Amino acid sequence: MAVPVIDFSKINGEEREKTLSEIARACEEWGFFQLVNHGIPLELLDKVKNLSSECYKTEREEAFKTSTPVKLLNELLQKNSGEKLENIDWEDNFTLLDHNENEWACNTSNFKEMMVEYRGEVRKLASKMMEVMDENLGLPKGYIKKAFNEGVEDGEETAFFGTKVSHYPPCPHPELVNGLRAHTDAGGVVLLFQDDEYDGLQVLKDGVWIDVQPLPNAIVINTGDQIEVLSNGRYKSAWHRVLAREKGNRSSIASFYNPSYKAAIGPPEMKTAAEEGSEKKYPKYVFGDYMDVYANQKFMPKEPRFLAVKTL
């Protein structure tokens, strides 16, 4: 069993209906799939990979050696208790946001210019993917994006768009610590450019952890909690995790297209033909209120979050 791989170049050709169906099935059955021929220039992806690696090696690798995960693992080894570190991740990361390039935590030459270009390409791909989801769900074109951008002013998007640049360094005892603990993503659409050499990312499918196989130049798509709500449960946000590894420094660049914190999120008011007569399975709430709950329950069961959030 393997995570679906979909050729996105066929979305505008003779195989459009087949491609739409493949994406719909992946959203419904997996919540994870890989896109190839997605339109992001391959030379840009090469630059992203190389400059991100250079940034880690020159600016962050030495600091990680004295980081909290390393200190806690060393303390655990000294105790020799046989326990595992459950509440921390063997990960180095920093986040890139809009309009604050001067504060980005990397000074590697050309990194900022390259990441601005990359984030622009990924943002366009996110918009295309949301339109595909609209079509597959029987929603008006632009429905999901509009829901995420509630309060848009002068045509400027208010949705949150962030990029997390992560590295998972070699771990001397990977059996004792998580690379990244199992969770679902809180927001909307996640677009991941992952390492094409070192594995470690896994998705939970029918109770079994499945490797998200490294695939050169692919973009991994996964649906977050808000897509689950906007589809009234037809699409599910998937549990996923990263395993710590003894060898290799796995890179991971995840971009998140999430609702504005002021956006009201809930199942669609209109019903598609497939949903006639079905009840709304989720409450309506403000996304910022959901994030307040998620901050404390990220690594806990998903369903109680929807019950705990303040409803509209």
Side-chain angles (χ1 to χ4, degrees), residues 41-65:
L42 301 187
E43 59 270 23
L44 177 59
L45 294 180
D46 280 340
K47 292 178 183 178
V48 169
K49 179 170 60 177
N50 293 333
L51 288 177
S52 297
S53 176
E54 182 182 342
C55 175
Y56 177 79
K57 290 178 180 177
T58 59
E59 301 184 42
R60 307 185 68 85
E61 185 173 39
E62 198 61 33
F64 187 80
K65 295 176 182 177

Side-chain angles (χ1 to χ4, degrees), residues 125-140:
L125 182 58
S127 294
K128 293 176 184 176
M129 185 52 55
M130 286 185 286
E131 288 185 0
V132 167
M133 292 179 182
D134 289 333
E135 186 170 348
N136 278 336
L137 290 168
L139 299 171

Side-chain angles (χ1 to χ4, degrees), residues 1-65:
M1 187 160 51
V3 174
V5 177
I6 299 171
D7 185 344
F8 198 57
S9 67
K10 296 180 179 179
I11 196 70
N12 293 317
E14 294 180 357
E15 296 185 52
R16 175 177 175 79
E17 291 303 319
K18 177 185 175 185
T19 306
L20 286 170
S21 179
E22 288 176 348
I23 293 173
R25 194 178 313 115
C27 289
E28 292 172 6
E29 299 179 3
W30 284 85
F32 256 78
F33 54 98
Q34 303 208 58
L35 286 186
V36 295
N37 299 322
H38 39 64
I40 299 178
L42 301 187
E43 59 270 23
L44 177 59
L45 294 180
D46 280 340
K47 292 178 183 178
V48 169
K49 179 170 60 177
N50 293 333
L51 288 177
S52 297
S53 176
E54 182 182 342
C55 175
Y56 177 79
K57 290 178 180 177
T58 59
E59 301 184 42
R60 307 185 68 85
E61 185 173 39
E62 198 61 33
F64 187 80
K65 295 176 182 177

Side-chain angles (χ1 to χ4, degrees), residues 101-115:
E101 288 91 342
N102 292 332
E103 300 173 20
W104 287 3
C106 178
N107 295 310
T108 297
S109 178
N110 296 322
F111 177 84
K112 292 178 182 177
E113 294 83 354
M114 178 270 301
M115 287 305 295

